[in-house]
Amino acid sequence: MKKGIGITIERQTGRQFPADTRGALPPDPARARSLYIHVPFCFHKCHYCDFYSFVDSRDQQDAYADALCDELRVLAQHAERERAGLETVFVGGGTPTLLRADLWRKVLETLAAEFDLGDPSLEFTVECNPETASAELFDVLVSGGVNRISIGAQSFDERHLKTLERWHDPASVEQALRLAEGAGIARRSIDLIFAIPGQTPDDWEADLRRAIAFGQLIDHISCYALTYEPGTAMTARRDRGEFAPGDEDAEADMYLATVAALNAAGFQRYEVSNFARPGAECRHNLAYWRQDQWLAAGPSASAHIAGARWKNVPRLGDWMAGVRKSGGYPPLVDYEGPEPGRALAERIMTGLRVREGLELESLRRGAERIGSLGSLDDAICAQRQRGMITERDGRIALEDKAYLFADGVAGELMRSL
């Protein structure tokens, strides 16, 4: 079993554990309106990254694209078709833009043939390393319906890029944005990282100024504090004493400076680490934070359908072999069946991170079903008295000062369950 914060999550084992998505996807018409696709290829594994990715030294892109298209064909049976089809598609990695243009064309043609992409408000995002951007690739993406690009800038300071083992030229970020604009990709976002070892508040504010100076080239900025994930090279280097992590007080000051600078530039914080011009919020990520349903394709991709969660096996060879063996259904790991207590805790954990917060009566009904209404009400009351959460329009949400402590506030409410 897996211990969550204040709840116990039972992992399905033995004969109950679905061997692949054929057993995990429900037979009823629970239809997803979001799709995540994982492309695992990179030309270099960044030291801080814990997503499944690797440097492809055996040229496995063709085999990967064939398997991905097979998987997409079976997943399409579980996507929404009656209400204008998918609302969001997000392709992450890895480095999705490292996939060859001809293979992108094959994947996009499969998506168009198998899924309903007719929703006029469809948001179709592809993550991009700035040095893999090209006019040819962006033209292919646009022809397949891609209308949003997310570029991993991380920093504009070569010293800090070196610390992160990112090797792109900072100038390539603007070049990639202009290529995307010229190709007709209307929505453009960048990612930045702060609290990098050796980074000063002045360094970070310089990065923010560079980002803001892009003006209308971008409508969304994600700003993440560097985290030391288990099993990454960055964490191993820290543990060996090769560098000292950033000071927590300085990290908090950087975050507050981020909010002030981006708000002044017209970017509203709609989630702890995400800022957008009005109407430019990433709808795919909102689907995650709202605990909506989404399908997932590719090795290590995670899905959430009808209250169940699972992850495709995070090894390319095993994933491809499983897809071939089962006619398109990939092998799974970490399957968790529907469980009301876990679902409620996850809704609290993700929903409190978003500016819109959580619908209070829905939350209370969920707590009542598992016998935890009184303790949840007490926990909410305690957080109100501490000035951490507020209630408005029937929803509870974080107060501005509480964003620095979002995980702690959510943890207190989750423990009440």
Side-chain angles (χ1 to χ4, degrees):
M1 69 180 55
K2 173 185 172 185
K3 288 287 186 178
I5 300 179
I7 58 171
T8 298
I9 299 173
E10 295 289 344
R11 287 195 182 277
Q12 300 223 6
T13 57
R15 284 182 290 178
Q16 289 183 307
F17 191 103
D20 54 44
T21 48
R22 189 194 309 273
L25 289 163
D28 58 66
R31 302 295 185 181
R33 301 206 70 187
S34 292
L35 169 67
Y36 173 74
I37 299 173
H38 191 78
V39 180
F41 307 114
C42 281
F43 59 79
H44 175 77
K45 180 70 174 178
C46 300
H47 279 199
Y48 62 91
C49 178
D50 71 331
F51 294 111
Y52 175 62
S53 60
F54 62 93
V55 178
D56 181 19
S57 60
R58 294 187 293 165
D59 192 17
Q60 300 178 90
Q61 289 198 10
D62 288 273
Y64 160 83
D66 287 341
L68 179 63
C69 290
D70 288 343
E71 183 181 9
L72 290 171
R73 291 184 186 100
V74 301
L75 290 182
Q77 304 168 47
H78 300 271
E80 179 61 59
R81 289 183 178 274
E82 296 178 1
R83 295 181 298 153
L86 291 178
E87 290 182 327
T88 71
V89 180
F90 195 104
V91 186
T95 305
T97 46
L98 199 60
L99 194 66
R100 297 199 318 263
D102 61 305
L103 298 180
W104 261 113
R105 188 173 289 108
K106 176 187 291 188
V107 171
L108 292 169
E109 287 173 353
T110 301
L111 277 170
E114 301 294 335
F115 289 81
D116 183 348
L117 304 179
D119 189 330
S121 66
L122 173 70
E123 176 190 273
F124 194 154
T125 304
V126 172
E127 289 185 337
C128 174
N129 180 297
E131 292 206 334
T132 60
S134 71
E136 177 196 9
L137 176 60
F138 284 166
D139 285 343
V140 170
L141 296 182
V142 169
S143 71
V146 173
N147 54 20
R148 186 175 184 274
I149 204 83
S150 179
I151 295 178
Q154 316 313 358
S155 177
F156 297 102
D157 189 313
E158 291 182 350
R159 296 169 301 161
H160 304 318
L161 289 173
K162 183 177 180 180
T163 299
L164 296 173
E165 296 260 324
R166 299 279 295 192
W167 301 113
H168 64 265
D169 181 346
S172 67
V173 176
E174 181 172 356
Q175 293 167 6
L177 289 169
R178 294 201 179 279
L179 283 173
E181 180 187 41
I185 299 177
R187 297 182 56 194
R188 299 171 295 273
S189 174
I190 63 170
D191 289 357
L192 295 173
I193 293 177
F194 63 95
I196 302 168
Q199 185 183 46
T200 67
D202 285 345
D203 292 339
W204 174 238
E205 289 180 19
D207 274 350
L208 290 172
R209 287 194 297 272
R210 285 282 296 271
I212 290 167
F214 288 141
Q216 296 304 311
L217 270 178
I218 57 174
D219 60 14
H220 186 283
I221 303 177
S222 298
C223 297
Y224 301 106
L226 178 65
T227 55
Y228 297 89
E229 301 290 354
T232 63
M234 194 89 181
T235 300
R237 289 167 56 200
R238 180 202 63 184
D239 293 346
R240 290 195 299 266
E242 294 182 16
F243 62 83
D247 177 75
E248 288 186 2
D249 289 338
E251 179 179 325
D253 289 343
M254 288 181 188
Y255 181 73
L256 295 174
T258 303
V259 177
L262 295 184
N263 282 352
F267 293 87
Q268 298 178 354
R269 176 176 58 189
Y270 70 98
E271 190 271 342
V272 172
S273 302
N274 286 272
F275 302 77
R277 300 191 192 278
E281 297 83 1
C282 179
R283 290 166 51 221
H284 186 86
N285 284 340
L286 283 170
Y288 293 157
W289 295 318
R290 291 168 177 165
Q291 298 296 310
D292 291 341
Q293 299 191 116
W294 62 89
L295 295 163
S300 86
S302 297
H304 182 232
I305 300 291
R309 292 184 179 277
W310 62 86
K311 181 178 179 179
N312 289 354
V313 65
R315 293 176 296 278
L316 180 64
D318 291 346
W319 170 78
M320 291 192 299
V323 168
R324 286 194 299 269
K325 181 179 178 181
S326 65
Y329 293 92
L332 308 182
V333 294
D334 298 341
Y335 177 82
E336 296 173 349
E339 198 282 309
R342 190 200 76 233
L344 186 63
E346 289 172 347
R347 184 143 56 100
I348 290 171
M349 178 179 64
T350 59
L352 268 187
R353 295 181 62 87
V354 187
R355 181 181 60 201
E356 67 188 22
L358 293 157
E359 204 274 313
L360 182 57
E361 281 310 307
S362 173
L363 200 62
R364 296 183 76 248
R365 285 194 300 271
E368 186 173 28
R369 282 195 292 270
I370 63 173
S372 299
L373 178 57
S375 57
L376 176 66
D377 282 344
D378 289 345
I380 290 172
C381 181
Q383 294 300 320
R384 278 202 195 102
Q385 291 175 348
R386 291 180 59 207
M388 291 294 176
I389 61 175
T390 185
E391 181 179 350
R392 55 179 180 268
D393 301 324
R395 306 180 74 87
I396 58 169
L398 292 174
E399 293 277 17
D400 281 348
K401 71 175 184 179
Y403 276 87
L404 284 168
F405 313 103
D407 290 345
V409 175
E412 290 295 322
L413 299 191
M414 292 164 70
R415 275 186 281 274
S416 73
L417 306 180

